[in-house]
Amino acid sequence: MARIAIMTDETGWHTRQLQAALRARGASGRCVDLADCHIDTAQAWHGLVIPGFGRDLPDAALVRGIAGGSFEQVTKRLGVLHALRELGVPVYNDARAIERSVDKSMTSLLLHAADIPTPPTWATESLAQARRIAMREGAAGHALVLKPLFGSQGKGLQLVGDVEGVHHPVPELDEAYGSLAYLQRFVPATIDPGFDWRVLVVGARAVTAMRRVSEGWIHNVAQGARCEPAELTPALAALAEGAAAALEMDYAGVDMIPCAGGGIQVLEVNGVAAWQGLQRVTSFNIARAIVDDLLDRKLAAARAGGVAGAGRRA
């Protein structure tokens, strides 16, 4: 029986879905908080302590959530994921992919480098420079979205620059923004009410999509947007798959928005994507699709190469 560590800082609907999908495949899933994992080079040959696995390593790790903390704490937690990968344990998504997606500026850089259409983006530690950018963009009639670099669920978003003909300056970059301005050109809604798409990519293939519709300009479900079924068109699928490939992700929630003239731009790529809202408008079991890809592709490839859980019970 394959023993999978579900790395999460909270248990609930998503972890229950994953555990049920693993049981259906004859595997087991144990929830593990990365905050509870630690390094002990005297404990075992591999030097890691993963609660619930004794001196062994899991056969694979599926990352569902990483708790916030100090720079040192988060570095250690990601270090555990890096170590598991180096020890031959498949990690889904691995720490490198999560780091790329959590850092919105790195996501923007990688999308730009891969020629994935995405709004013009700036990241600067200089408040004066951020305000000059907002002034220049505002003079051209553009609003900008100021986002926390490591934010999620639509929290902390502000419009700056030209907002309905009124200039809104970049505010003081307080602790909520980490003393850094991450600015992305605002894409106005093409219809009323506005919407964006969330497309789920699993194993390099787009598998389902939804529209997130909102009366306001923020389309996150956590901020009150409603989920509607959406056709997974070839254009949406190709763009989502390209975005996930640019960040080298096993699975990803790709957020895209329609633009004037019929184009589509990628706003964000989520490496620890939630799918409860998406499941409500999807006919197949999303957790099962994720688990199948983990077991049939990622774990199978590692075992074929003779590295999965290498020395797990040594």
Side-chain angles (χ1 to χ4, degrees):
M1 173 187 289
R3 301 193 307 158
I4 312 301
I6 301 173
M7 300 302 193
T8 181
D9 58 322
E10 59 181 33
T11 57
W13 183 87
H14 287 89
T15 54
R16 290 193 298 271
Q17 290 279 304
L18 291 170
Q19 288 175 317
L22 285 164
R23 286 194 300 270
R25 288 294 309 271
S28 66
R30 184 181 183 91
C31 293
V32 178
D33 192 334
L34 280 164
D36 297 329
C37 300
H38 59 277
I39 294 169
D40 183 349
T41 58
Q43 171 84 356
W45 70 270
H46 47 74
L48 291 177
V49 177
I50 311 297
F53 291 87
R55 293 169 58 85
D56 301 334
L57 294 174
D59 292 293
L62 198 162
V63 183
R64 180 56 236 142
I66 303 173
S70 68
F71 178 78
E72 291 81 1
Q73 288 173 320
V74 173
T75 298
K76 189 275 294 182
R77 293 164 194 170
L78 289 169
V80 170
L81 296 180
H82 280 297
L84 286 170
R85 177 182 177 275
E86 295 303 316
L87 289 164
V89 177
V91 181
Y92 189 106
N93 284 308
D94 73 22
R96 298 170 305 168
I98 291 171
E99 288 166 348
R100 295 182 191 111
S101 65
V102 169
D103 177 353
K104 290 184 177 66
S105 63
M106 181 54 65
T107 297
S108 296
L109 277 175
L110 292 172
L111 292 175
H112 177 72
D115 291 325
I116 302 295
T118 189
T121 302
W122 299 263
T124 176
E125 296 181 41
S126 167
L127 177 60
Q129 184 179 39
R131 287 177 169 168
R132 286 195 297 270
I133 292 166
M135 286 289 292
R136 185 180 70 236
E137 286 288 296
H142 299 303
L144 301 174
V145 183
L146 173 65
K147 302 181 181 182
L149 190 68
F150 301 131
S152 63
Q153 299 183 326
K155 298 175 182 176
L157 274 57
Q158 293 189 50
L159 286 179
V160 299
D162 185 287
V163 183
E164 298 181 347
V166 178
H167 181 74
H168 290 241
V170 176
E172 293 292 329
L173 300 174
D174 57 18
E175 186 177 339
Y177 296 98
S179 300
L180 181 140
Y182 171 84
L183 299 160
Q184 190 175 65
R185 185 179 290 171
F186 177 61
V187 181
T190 56
I191 62 172
D192 187 23
F195 73 94
D196 68 6
W197 290 283
R198 162 64 64 90
V199 178
L200 184 68
V201 177
V202 178
R205 185 173 67 89
V207 296
T208 188
M210 69 175 175
R211 296 197 331 160
R212 303 187 300 184
V213 183
S214 175
E215 299 297 332
W217 63 273
I218 300 175
H219 303 303
N220 297 78
V221 175
Q223 300 299 319
R226 66 179 185 270
C227 304
E228 294 182 353
E231 179 188 1
L232 183 57
T233 65
L236 283 177
L239 198 54
E241 290 166 3
L247 274 69
E248 299 182 39
M249 291 185 165
D250 294 307
Y251 81 109
V254 184
D255 297 339
M256 297 180 281
I257 195 164
C259 307
I264 304 170
Q265 292 190 321
V266 175
L267 295 177
E268 295 185 9
V269 184
N270 301 275
V272 189
W275 67 86
Q276 190 168 9
L278 185 56
Q279 184 65 78
R280 291 197 292 268
V281 297
T282 299
S283 59
F284 62 86
N285 187 289
I286 293 173
R288 181 64 182 266
I290 291 171
V291 164
D292 286 347
D293 185 54
L294 168 63
L295 298 180
D296 297 338
R297 179 183 61 85
K298 189 107 175 179
L299 181 57
R303 285 177 167 172
V307 297
R312 187 167 64 88
R313 292 182 171 82

